[in-house]
Amino acid sequence: MRTKQFFKFFIFAVTSSIFLSCQNMMNEHSPSEIVLSFLRIYPENDANNVPLNVSIEMEFALPVDTSILEEDFFLISQSELENQQCIDNFGGEHKDLHKASKNNMLINHIKEMHKIHGKFFWDSLHTKCEFLPERNLKPGTDYYVFLGPKMFEHMKKIMQSYDMMRAFMQMTNCSCCNRNNSNDESIIFHFKTGNNY
């Protein structure tokens, strides 16, 4: 009986600690640093002069399913989106990720054929993730971080479970939130690398 009570107390303590960390994260950083109060990403949206050896860092207010994020995440360059052969096959939407994301077949093609490969690293709580590209990024180039509908829905369910409706409303109203023709929602962050480092 004592073991059960201790286990319940331990789970409560860990959950409370994570929730308080979420509150501190929202209090310590400006809206430009936390585009969504549930999710913080580095480089932040529309950052410039990003180092070529950058890794994508994601911090969540609560633990997430690592398999969903890894399946529904990709990093891509604007130069890959402007692949002429693919534009000939798919039309002008191929070079605009926001337009492409409205077409499930096209976004799947982009993810399979053009994404930047790399490795994911997680902390033990599954609240922090680092994506390390397998090679340095190109200088003076626009890049996009894409979190697809499965990850969006996963985050939505977590926020609803913890009654974080303010965070959910911030996510749906964020300029980085994108909705396709099937009403599925995704998130797109943009940054640009520097020219000589």
Side-chain angles (χ1 to χ4, degrees), residues 28-68:
E28 291 173 6
H29 299 278
S30 69
S32 65
E33 291 175 306
I34 305 175
V35 183
L36 316 171
S37 57
F38 183 79
L39 166 65
R40 181 183 171 201
I41 289 189
Y42 172 83
E44 65 181 73
N45 196 33
D46 291 330
N48 288 305
N49 295 315
V50 173
L52 306 185
N53 62 348
V54 70
S55 61
I56 309 303
E57 299 173 12
M58 292 164 277
E59 182 177 358
F60 300 91
L62 292 164
V64 297
D65 187 320
T66 61
S67 63
I68 294 177

Side-chain angles (χ1 to χ4, degrees), residues 4-19:
K4 269 189 170 180
Q5 289 175 337
F6 174 78
F7 181 72
K8 286 180 180 177
F9 174 78
F10 176 76
I11 293 296
F12 174 78
V14 170
T15 305
S16 300
S17 174
I18 293 172
F19 185 77

Side-chain angles (χ1 to χ4, degrees), residues 51-191:
L52 306 185
N53 62 348
V54 70
S55 61
I56 309 303
E57 299 173 12
M58 292 164 277
E59 182 177 358
F60 300 91
L62 292 164
V64 297
D65 187 320
T66 61
S67 63
I68 294 177
L69 182 135
E70 292 184 18
E71 178 190 352
D72 222 23
F73 165 100
F74 66 81
L75 173 66
I76 190 167
S77 68
Q78 182 61 38
S79 57
E80 277 294 321
L81 291 172
E82 292 176 359
N83 181 294
Q84 192 57 53
Q85 182 178 351
C86 291
I87 290 174
D88 291 341
N89 292 333
F90 288 96
E93 287 184 352
H94 191 285
K95 62 182 178 181
D96 186 327
L97 188 60
H98 289 84
K99 290 181 179 177
S101 67
K102 300 181 187 301
N103 181 325
N104 287 334
M105 185 176 74
L106 180 52
I107 203 68
N108 287 333
H109 157 81
I110 289 172
K111 181 165 70 171
E112 292 301 317
M113 302 302 296
H114 300 287
K115 71 179 180 181
I116 293 169
H117 294 278
K119 292 183 178 180
F120 293 92
F121 299 92
W122 290 87
D123 71 342
S124 58
L125 292 176
H126 296 171
T127 57
K128 294 180 181 179
C129 176
E130 178 185 7
F131 175 77
L132 182 63
E134 63 182 14
R135 60 177 61 91
N136 281 0
L137 304 184
K138 297 176 182 177
T141 301
D142 290 291
Y143 284 88
Y144 299 93
V145 174
F146 182 86
L147 295 176
K150 289 180 183 177
M151 189 60 197
F152 188 97
E153 191 64 24
H154 177 53
M155 293 190 292
K156 174 182 174 182
K157 287 179 180 177
I158 294 173
M159 284 184 276
Q160 289 175 334
S161 297
Y162 283 86
D163 199 24
M164 298 173 66
M165 296 312 297
R166 178 171 170 265
F168 175 65
M169 291 304 296
Q170 284 180 332
M171 186 166 77
T172 55
N173 292 328
C174 173
S175 60
C176 59
C177 181
N178 199 54
R179 184 176 284 111
N180 70 12
N181 295 334
S182 304
N183 252 0
D184 295 325
E185 291 167 302
S186 57
I187 295 171
I188 299 174
F189 287 82
H190 161 263
F191 66 89

